[in-house]
Amino acid sequence: MAKNAINSAIAAINKEGELVDLHESNGDIERYIFFDDKEGKSIYWHSTSHLMAQAVKRLYPGARLAIGPAIEEGFYYDFDIDHTLNEEDLKKIEEEMQKIIQENLTVERKVLSKEEAKQLFSSRGENFKIELIDEILDDQVSLYQQGEFIDLCRGPHIPSTGSIKAYKLLSVSGAYWRGKETNPMLQRIYGIAFDDKDKLKNYLYRLEEAKKRDHRKLGKELELFSLHEEGPGFPFFHPKGMVVINALLDAWRKEHVKRGYQEIKTPIILDRELWERSGHWDHYRNNMYFTSIDEREFAVKPMNCPGGILVYQSQLHSYREFPIRMAELGLVHRHELSGVLHGLMRVRCFTQDDAHIYMEPHQVKQEIMGVIELADYIYRLFQFDYELELSTRPENSMGSDEMWDLATKSLETALQEKNLPYRVNEGDGAFYGPKIDFHLKDTLGRRWQCGTIQLDFTMPECFDLSYIGEDGMKHRPVMLHRTILGSVERFLGILIEHTAGALPVWLSPVQVVVLPIAERHYSYALEVKQQIAQAQIRVELNDENATLGAKIRKAQLQKIPYILIVGDKEVENHQVSVRDRKEGDLGGFSLQDFLLRIQNEIQNFIM
């Protein structure tokens, strides 16, 4: 490897496969770690969080350190500071960070006993660190020091503070210590860092573009939905929003019928005993809502599967019926902390496009492939690329090792036979089975986890599910849980940002707007509107007393796909002047030709 390339390394993996600091590798290196490696970004961002924390401590000596991890994109650090931080403070912290970079302080790892570490942090008034040390099981703890700054950390880290090339502090917000509302409120500073200034520049551009595409802003401007303090985490959908939701679900239903699914509907509130049987009571209780009816305890469903199982159990099934594919657009409720609520992306109630497939063991691979094909069709319909992730058994799980091994192997085999690339996410499966997750990539390169396929040998055991096999005996079915959109509301939020609010024609709440130039053109414009509506195209007529330019501008802001302008020439020739949202002015069309164009566009998109 070239010397310049080695000089840009930030850590290493030794012969034992361990991530280590460069100066601790002792030449025993299997490979070097660079910023563009997955581990490299995490190390770089974590190191920058330490750099930021050091700057904060220099500017606010009384600040107490909490935690400062790398996250999926960037880093944050939580502080207990008497002073309320603002945008100007972030600029001062950035300036201080630059000074520390110029000092090029060596980053050194130290190992102390737990008692020594507690004494060290106690002398510095760092009570949050002492709490963390008390939870460490080992007798020794790892710390990292750069200059006067020292922090509790496993590492590894960059060799020196001068290794940080480009960074930006993005925002400050409140955060409870360890995420519990009963704990002290801290101040959290978010940031990002790169090994190259151009990368930072491109990132900040994407960030600004994301602000313009924020679904909360566009949702309000396009009159799709609103959020109210009277129902935090419970979005309110307006008439135009319901048009979009219904068009989306109509397409969803059509495709599911084509692929052999039957639709069911189950209650929102079900008896506590059901949730105990399913395992949700033990594994998911903190995220559930409860109520009492006639002195019985009930839970508001966070998931649709237990209710769907009751539908399956309501009659005896034969192997001849298999596979049975039951789909449900079920409204579920999950308790989320107020601090994590975010528009449609993180809510307390949402519609989950679930399906549960019951099958014989030999049908598992084919059914998984069928779900993958359905997901691929839906995502390509909306022009999403996606990546696949296989999540394996978590610590808090149900079922035997044999069941989990068989389930995991079945998912792996289906992915391999479809020749699909995937990565393994160890320990992130559902408590009842491993899963395949679909991560969509939007136009800004952001990843969103939406669809999932979860193979479940556990719940059929819990509910004693059975079917009559070819031999006339009772057998246990295999159960597959799956979603494609995931949360319908969240998917809509993602789609709004993906398209910057310019939804495809077939999904747009208003597909056409007719603009009469003057009052004398209103009668013909109304006739045009009525004929378009009869063709089942969603159309509006703007008869406001405003200039044509103002009317066009309003239609453009509403992201309406087609604008039809009606003036003297159009009335005389029985035509409409067509403006396309993407292509601009298309000139004059007969109404019949325009209807043929838009109908073909709709049909070509959703077929």
Side-chain angles (χ1 to χ4, degrees):
M1 185 178 291
K3 185 175 180 181
N4 287 343
I6 294 173
N7 287 341
S8 64
I10 58 176
I13 293 180
N14 63 20
K15 300 290 186 182
E16 286 71 44
E18 301 167 325
L19 268 173
V20 294
D21 298 299
L22 283 177
H23 61 268
E24 286 202 346
S25 62
N26 299 320
D28 186 25
I29 294 173
E30 181 68 26
R31 69 179 175 93
Y32 288 100
I33 298 296
F34 301 92
F35 175 83
D36 287 330
D37 296 319
K38 181 184 176 183
E39 308 99 319
K41 287 184 174 64
S42 180
I43 293 167
Y44 202 87
W45 290 337
H46 194 181
S47 298
T48 313
S49 80
H50 280 214
L51 173 69
M52 178 181 71
Q54 184 176 9
V56 169
K57 289 289 285 185
R58 285 187 177 184
L59 293 170
Y60 309 97
R64 291 186 295 172
L65 305 171
I67 56 173
I71 52 178
E72 186 172 351
E73 199 165 68
F75 60 88
Y76 70 78
Y77 211 116
D78 291 344
F79 303 94
D80 185 8
I81 310 178
D82 292 335
H83 171 70
T84 301
L85 297 170
N86 56 40
E87 290 293 327
E88 288 303 312
D89 295 318
L90 295 188
K91 292 177 184 176
K92 293 175 186 175
I93 296 168
E94 286 179 341
E95 291 169 0
E96 193 64 35
M97 289 170 70
Q98 187 58 40
K99 293 177 185 177
I100 299 170
I101 289 172
Q102 290 170 348
E103 292 172 21
N104 198 21
L105 302 172
T106 300
V107 180
E108 298 178 289
R109 182 171 181 264
K110 297 178 180 294
V111 177
L112 299 180
S113 69
K114 286 178 68 172
E115 280 307 311
E116 288 173 328
K118 286 173 70 174
Q119 288 174 14
L120 172 66
F121 286 110
S122 178
S123 68
R124 293 173 172 233
E126 302 289 2
N127 59 304
F128 297 113
K129 298 297 179 183
I130 294 169
E131 184 178 329
L132 294 172
I133 292 168
D134 282 333
E135 296 176 2
I136 295 173
L137 298 178
D138 295 337
D139 294 331
Q140 294 183 317
V141 296
S142 169
L143 300 94
Y144 277 80
Q145 183 166 5
Q146 52 200 52
E148 81 288 352
F149 179 80
I150 192 164
D151 202 354
L152 185 68
C153 190
R154 285 195 301 267
H157 277 279
I158 55 174
S160 70
T161 58
S163 303
I164 304 294
K165 304 301 181 186
Y167 59 90
K168 180 68 178 174
L169 302 187
L170 302 172
S171 63
V172 60
S173 64
Y176 291 107
W177 168 236
R178 316 200 79 169
K180 293 182 180 178
E181 292 174 324
T182 54
N183 285 342
M185 174 65 79
L186 308 174
Q187 295 188 71
R188 175 173 294 178
I189 302 176
Y190 286 95
I192 191 72
F194 292 94
D195 63 337
D196 178 88
K197 289 183 178 179
D198 285 340
K199 290 179 183 177
L200 176 61
K201 183 178 178 181
N202 291 336
Y203 175 83
L204 294 176
Y205 168 78
R206 286 197 297 117
L207 210 59
E208 284 303 310
E209 187 63 26
K211 288 179 183 177
K212 296 176 190 174
R213 293 168 176 257
D214 190 320
H215 74 285
R216 296 167 298 179
K217 170 178 170 288
L218 290 173
K220 183 176 181 180
E221 292 173 357
L222 302 178
E223 302 173 17
L224 300 177
F225 67 92
S226 57
L227 305 165
H228 301 274
E229 276 306 308
E230 291 83 353
F234 303 97
F236 292 70
F237 282 91
H238 297 203
K240 287 182 179 179
M242 287 309 301
V243 169
V244 178
I245 291 283
N246 288 332
L248 179 62
L249 297 186
D250 285 347
W252 183 94
R253 285 189 168 101
K254 177 182 175 183
E255 198 57 37
H256 279 70
V257 169
K258 281 168 56 178
R259 295 172 189 260
Y261 286 83
Q262 306 168 72
E263 188 174 353
I264 64 171
K265 183 177 181 180
T266 63
I268 292 175
I269 299 174
L270 293 165
D271 191 283
R272 167 179 170 168
E273 186 275 334
L274 179 72
W275 303 105
E276 289 175 339
R277 255 193 296 164
S278 69
H280 289 89
W281 190 264
D282 291 330
H283 296 84
Y284 209 77
R285 184 169 49 199
N286 292 338
N287 295 93
M288 297 169 68
Y289 296 107
F290 306 97
T291 188
S292 294
I293 305 173
D294 296 334
E295 298 182 358
R296 289 171 60 189
E297 287 189 73
F298 288 78
V300 181
K301 67 177 180 181
M303 297 172 185
N304 297 309
C305 28
I309 287 172
L310 293 183
V311 174
Y312 176 88
Q313 282 186 315
S314 65
Q315 63 188 89
L316 189 63
H317 296 283
S318 162
Y319 75 96
R320 290 189 178 90
E321 300 172 67
F322 280 6
I324 296 173
R325 307 182 186 105
M326 292 184 180
E328 178 174 15
L329 293 162
L331 184 65
V332 299
H333 291 72
R334 299 180 184 179
H335 179 251
E336 299 281 5
L337 295 175
S338 58
V340 301
L341 298 176
H342 180 74
L344 300 180
M345 305 300 198
R346 196 75 177 263
V347 292
R348 286 173 170 155
C349 76
F350 57 90
T351 307
Q352 193 165 50
D353 71 320
D354 262 330
H356 299 99
I357 303 174
Y358 305 90
M359 69 201 99
E360 294 187 275
H362 70 86
Q363 296 171 319
V364 168
K365 184 178 68 177
Q366 196 60 40
E367 287 305 301
I368 294 171
M369 288 180 171
V371 175
I372 292 172
E373 288 165 6
L374 173 58
D376 181 77
Y377 170 82
I378 295 291
Y379 299 149
R380 295 196 184 284
L381 185 66
F382 296 101
Q383 300 179 335
F384 281 115
D385 291 328
Y386 60 87
E387 297 173 350
L388 294 166
E389 183 176 85
L390 174 64
S391 297
T392 59
R393 185 175 190 172
E395 289 184 14
N396 185 22
S397 61
M398 299 170 62
S400 67
D401 292 343
E402 292 77 16
M403 284 181 176
W404 275 87
D405 290 344
L406 179 59
T408 305
K409 188 64 179 175
S410 298
L411 294 176
E412 286 179 328
T413 302
L415 287 170
Q416 289 162 1
E417 291 206 14
K418 293 290 288 183
N419 198 28
L420 294 168
Y422 66 94
R423 65 187 182 95
V424 177
N425 188 2
E426 296 288 353
D428 200 43
F431 68 82
Y432 49 78
K435 61 178 181 170
I436 296 170
D437 286 329
F438 294 81
H439 293 266
L440 307 192
K441 292 178 70 176
D442 69 12
T443 49
L444 296 181
R446 298 171 300 181
R447 297 169 77 248
W448 305 92
Q449 193 274 311
C450 287
T452 186
I453 304 172
Q454 301 173 358
L455 197 55
D456 185 359
F457 291 88
T458 303
M459 225 167 269
E461 291 285 339
C462 295
F463 284 87
D464 193 25
L465 300 187
S466 64
Y467 68 95
I468 302 302
E470 193 172 3
D471 58 3
M473 305 295 290
K474 280 190 175 183
H475 297 271
R476 186 81 69 213
V478 179
M479 184 177 179
L480 187 149
H481 309 245
R482 55 111 281 212
T483 66
I484 304 297
L485 306 178
S487 158
V488 173
E489 291 80 357
R490 179 171 174 270
F491 186 83
L492 177 57
I494 294 167
L495 192 60
I496 290 170
E497 297 196 1
H498 179 58
T499 62
L503 297 170
V505 176
W506 69 273
L507 203 55
S508 293
V510 179
Q511 295 167 319
V512 179
V513 62
V514 183
L515 308 183
I517 294 175
E519 189 174 345
R520 65 181 179 275
H521 308 126
Y522 174 77
S523 178
Y524 178 66
L526 183 59
E527 182 184 328
V528 168
K529 180 201 170 187
Q530 290 170 342
Q531 290 186 51
I532 293 172
Q534 286 173 4
Q536 297 186 326
I537 303 299
R538 296 186 289 274
V539 58
E540 287 185 350
L541 170 64
N542 185 340
D543 59 353
E544 295 174 355
N545 184 20
T547 65
L548 178 62
K551 290 179 181 179
I552 291 173
R553 177 62 179 157
K554 181 177 180 180
Q556 290 172 332
L557 289 173
Q558 292 176 336
K559 315 286 186 179
I560 297 173
Y562 284 101
I563 299 171
L564 305 188
I565 299 170
V566 172
D568 290 336
K569 185 175 71 173
E570 287 74 27
V571 172
E572 182 181 346
N573 297 325
H574 294 283
Q575 287 188 329
V576 290
S577 180
V578 180
R579 288 180 67 91
D580 180 283
R581 182 175 60 192
K582 294 178 290 187
E583 300 176 32
D585 187 3
L586 300 180
F589 278 66
S590 71
L591 188 54
Q592 201 58 41
D593 284 346
F594 170 72
L595 286 174
L596 188 62
R597 174 189 174 96
I598 190 171
Q599 287 168 337
N600 285 339
E601 186 173 349
I602 291 169
Q603 288 302 315
N604 290 339
F605 205 104
I606 62 176
M607 290 298 289

